[in-house]
Amino acid sequence: MDEIVKLIEQWAINKELDQAEPSRQMLKVIEEVGEVSAALVRNDKLALVDGIGDVVVTLVILAQQNNLSLYECVIAAYSEIKDRKGKTVNGTFVKEADLNG
């Protein structure tokens, strides 16, 4: 995964996206998430694979624009959730604090 992330980052540098406005990149993230949603609704596995990949690419670039790495962002998120307690309700994980509230 490290190798492909580096390739994506270099591609972004080549296209000068690394210096672009992050708010514009966030719009691309949202656009790609919408494509994932459409693929799920249509039960289109190929479009889903493409959409998830596109979301990751846009997030790699967004992290890069903010002098972050995808790795450090994922590590931070995992550190936050790893000991989280709760339960899955109707296919969605609900934090313990939200179950009691």
Side-chain angles (χ1 to χ4, degrees), residues 28-63:
K28 287 299 290 180
V29 172
I30 293 167
E31 176 187 340
E32 299 301 349
V33 168
E35 290 181 15
V36 169
S37 179
L40 286 169
V41 167
R42 294 180 178 103
N43 198 27
D44 184 339
K45 180 116 182 195
L46 289 176
L48 181 60
V49 168
D50 180 64
I52 291 171
D54 288 346
V55 169
V56 172
V57 167
T58 58
L59 289 173
V60 167
I61 297 167
L62 182 61

Side-chain angles (χ1 to χ4, degrees), residues 1-14 60 64 70-71:
M1 187 75 166
D2 288 345
E3 185 176 326
I4 193 68
V5 168
K6 285 180 176 44
L7 290 171
I8 293 165
E9 290 170 338
Q10 186 58 57
W11 179 87
I13 291 167
N14 294 346
V60 167
Q64 180 185 38
L70 183 68
Y71 180 80

Side-chain angles (χ1 to χ4, degrees), residues 37-95:
S37 179
L40 286 169
V41 167
R42 294 180 178 103
N43 198 27
D44 184 339
K45 180 116 182 195
L46 289 176
L48 181 60
V49 168
D50 180 64
I52 291 171
D54 288 346
V55 169
V56 172
V57 167
T58 58
L59 289 173
V60 167
I61 297 167
L62 182 61
Q64 180 185 38
Q65 290 172 336
N66 288 281
N67 298 314
L68 300 167
S69 71
L70 183 68
Y71 180 80
E72 71 183 294
C73 295
V74 172
I75 291 296
Y78 180 72
S79 293
E80 188 175 315
I81 68 165
K82 66 182 172 81
D83 297 320
R84 187 170 283 166
K85 294 184 179 15
K87 68 179 188 174
T88 300
V89 178
N90 296 325
T92 301
F93 183 79
V94 180
K95 294 186 285 187

